[in-house]
Amino acid sequence: MEKKDIKKVVLAYSGGLDTSIIIPWLKENYNNCEVIAVSGDVGQGTELDGLEEKAIKTGASKLYILDLKKQFIEDYIYPTLKAGAVYEGEYLLGTSFARPIIAKEIVEIAKKEGADAICHGCTGKGNDQVRFELTIKAFAPDIAIIAPWREWTLKSREEEIEYAEAHNIPLKINRETNYSKDKNLWHLSHEGLDLEDPANEPQYLKKGFLEMGVAPEAAPDKPTYVTLHFEKGIPTAIDGVEMGAVEMLEKLNKLGGENGIGLADLVENRLVGMKSRGVYETPGGTILYRAHQVLETLCLDRDTQHYKELIAQKYAELVYFGQWFTPLRESLTAFVDKTQETVTGDVKLKLYKGNIINAGTTSPYSLYSEEVATFDEDHVYDQSDSEGFINLFGLPVKVRAKLSQNWDK
């Protein structure tokens, strides 16, 4: 579709620096097209305050704000949690799985409004452009996609700020605090400025840097205990009190944040090929991942647990790479759901100055038998049986060793 044919555009709108300037930019560069802004509320909190007034004042015809928090947790976070998916050993995928749900809902608005194109503010260097566009292609394969960062002449966030100032667009940031951030119920990410040099230590103690909690050294000197209950891999209660998905995550974010839990500083491999450095706050999510993993050690048999660890890495890559709506991700989810049928029980954890310490686990489906595992006398395990087992298990090693003695002669 040519530019002249685009009359109505639906914009993924956060009200941040990029999307704030995109509304006037679209109208300037796409024949004064109608711009409909859409914000998916996945837990940005106060970032959504005043968004409608701002969108309208800067040129949008209307703003949709969609409450996606419950759906975000239940349909995107929980499947990833149950899979145990962690990207490159540390990243709990906070931005990654927030993009498909937003993009999917934006497609629905675009269809409802009869839009000619969907626009997003993702940069040409990042992962989010892929996550948004793969989802759009999955549900509206023929709609035009506009990505201003791949078109406009602005080359930096500094130039974006200058553009905003020239167009009288209000911003909540300034040049000194211009970290690139992404916030939702699950996490808060920080990129840019001094963090672009991996040699620089993150300023965790600097006022205003951390938003979801405190640095470990500023946490209380007394530990906090918390007990989580899971039903088939899904958390349902804290300290015996049943909670909904949103309330539970908010509670765990508070507990984790107060105790300096969930800070990750990593240099990750982006899908587009470059390395980037990010600092992440994921207090409640870090607690959930630990509790779930601990419970699985009790409830999964050895082979299932080990195989699940293998697919967890692939699952994390699929989420990170924006391939949520793919047959493989859906198939892996089906496998994971089967493994979770007995992942029910209680996990008690001790939170202390950034650390999560196991403090006891119980499950009605526990595969742990004290009678079998004990170092004391038992009547269920004949230790002499191990000799025959080792002889058979070690037969390939023994045969190879004997035969190899003649290889160099």
Side-chain angles (χ1 to χ4, degrees):
M1 180 177 288
E2 296 184 14
K3 274 189 176 183
K4 63 181 178 62
D5 298 320
I6 293 176
K7 309 296 184 184
K8 183 184 291 190
V9 179
V10 169
L11 168 66
Y13 185 70
S14 68
L17 176 58
D18 295 329
T19 57
S20 291
I21 67 173
I22 283 175
I23 294 176
W25 181 88
L26 280 171
K27 298 183 81 65
E28 289 175 358
N29 290 273
Y30 281 82
N31 307 303
N32 197 32
C33 63
E34 180 183 358
V35 179
I36 298 168
V38 181
S39 294
D41 181 2
V42 287
Q44 299 94 314
T46 57
E47 291 182 11
L48 297 173
D49 293 350
L51 216 55
E52 182 173 12
E53 180 183 3
K54 180 178 178 179
I56 301 300
K57 277 188 174 181
T58 51
S61 62
K62 68 175 76 169
L63 170 69
Y64 288 88
I65 296 181
L66 311 174
D67 186 354
L68 306 176
K69 295 188 288 294
K70 184 173 182 289
Q71 183 185 351
F72 174 44
I73 297 174
E74 294 180 346
D75 295 347
Y76 295 81
I77 291 178
Y78 282 171
T80 309
L81 168 68
K82 289 191 292 183
V86 182
Y87 185 70
E88 296 190 340
E90 287 192 81
Y91 178 42
L92 298 185
L93 299 164
T95 299
S96 307
F97 48 35
R99 297 312 185 224
I101 182 175
I102 295 172
K104 182 175 184 291
E105 295 302 318
I106 286 172
V107 169
E108 293 304 310
I109 297 295
K111 290 179 177 179
K112 173 184 173 182
E113 291 283 351
D116 304 304
I118 293 174
C119 179
H120 64 76
C122 308
T123 74
K125 288 184 176 181
N127 302 303
D128 279 346
Q129 58 181 336
V130 182
R131 297 165 184 155
F132 268 106
E133 294 188 30
L134 290 193
T135 299
I136 293 168
K137 291 178 187 299
F139 293 98
D142 297 322
I143 199 166
I145 298 174
I146 301 172
W149 266 103
R150 303 202 292 258
E151 294 185 32
W152 63 23
T153 57
L154 304 174
K155 301 299 182 184
S156 67
R157 288 175 68 80
E158 179 73 21
E159 291 186 11
E160 285 186 280
I161 293 175
E162 292 174 358
Y163 183 96
E165 291 172 345
H167 289 74
N168 298 312
I169 299 171
L171 300 174
K172 294 182 180 180
I173 62 173
N174 57 50
R175 287 169 171 78
E176 289 71 38
T177 61
N178 186 22
Y179 287 106
S180 177
K181 296 186 179 185
D182 177 72
K183 185 178 183 180
N184 58 46
L185 270 174
W186 186 250
H187 89 156
L188 174 65
S189 65
H190 308 256
E191 293 179 314
L193 297 181
D194 56 305
L195 298 178
E196 290 192 343
D197 184 350
N200 292 331
E201 179 181 3
Q203 301 301 303
Y204 293 131
L205 291 171
K206 184 178 180 180
K207 184 178 180 181
F209 182 80
L210 295 179
E211 297 182 26
M212 297 184 73
V214 301
E217 53 265 56
D221 294 330
K222 182 180 178 181
T224 298
Y225 285 88
V226 60
T227 299
L228 287 91
H229 180 74
F230 288 81
E231 290 285 339
K232 295 185 176 182
I234 295 175
T236 59
I238 298 176
D239 295 329
V241 179
E242 291 191 3
M243 298 181 184
V246 175
E247 182 186 5
M248 171 167 291
L249 186 51
E250 290 175 340
K251 173 72 172 178
L252 291 176
N253 278 335
K254 182 175 185 297
L255 291 174
E258 290 171 347
N259 288 278
I261 303 297
L263 299 179
D265 174 11
L266 63 146
V267 174
E268 67 201 62
N269 289 292
R270 287 183 177 174
L271 170 59
V272 295
M274 70 184 70
K275 291 184 181 290
S276 66
R277 198 267 189 100
V279 171
Y280 300 97
E281 300 178 56
T282 320
T286 301
I287 295 170
L288 283 173
Y289 261 77
R290 168 61 74 84
H292 181 262
Q293 183 250 337
V294 169
L295 185 58
E296 283 192 327
T297 66
L298 213 60
C299 301
L300 297 186
D301 64 277
R302 180 194 65 196
D303 290 348
T304 300
Q305 182 178 338
H306 288 184
Y307 193 77
K308 186 171 177 289
E309 289 171 358
L310 294 177
I311 73 103
Q313 180 177 349
K314 184 60 181 179
Y315 200 106
E317 283 188 349
L318 291 171
V319 177
Y320 188 88
F321 293 167
Q323 295 171 297
W324 185 271
F325 295 107
T326 60
L328 179 54
R329 200 282 306 169
E330 293 169 357
S331 298
L332 292 182
T333 294
F335 166 79
V336 168
D337 285 345
K338 180 64 179 178
T339 70
Q340 300 299 291
E341 290 180 352
T342 59
V343 183
T344 295
D346 293 284
V347 181
K348 186 178 183 181
L349 300 172
K350 180 163 67 173
L351 314 179
Y352 182 66
K353 289 188 176 294
N355 296 291
I356 303 178
I357 303 162
N358 300 347
T361 312
T362 60
S363 170
Y365 301 102
S366 173
L367 298 177
Y368 178 87
S369 170
E370 187 175 353
E371 188 177 15
V372 173
T374 182
F375 285 97
D376 295 329
E377 181 181 0
D378 68 82
H379 304 285
V380 297
Y381 186 93
D382 187 345
Q383 299 204 23
S384 64
D385 288 346
S386 62
E387 180 178 0
F389 165 74
I390 295 171
N391 287 338
L392 291 176
F393 189 66
L395 184 61
V397 177
K398 182 177 180 179
V399 170
R400 188 181 190 282
K402 290 175 69 70
L403 294 176
S404 66
Q405 293 174 357
N406 300 317
W407 289 352
D408 297 326
K409 291 183 181 180

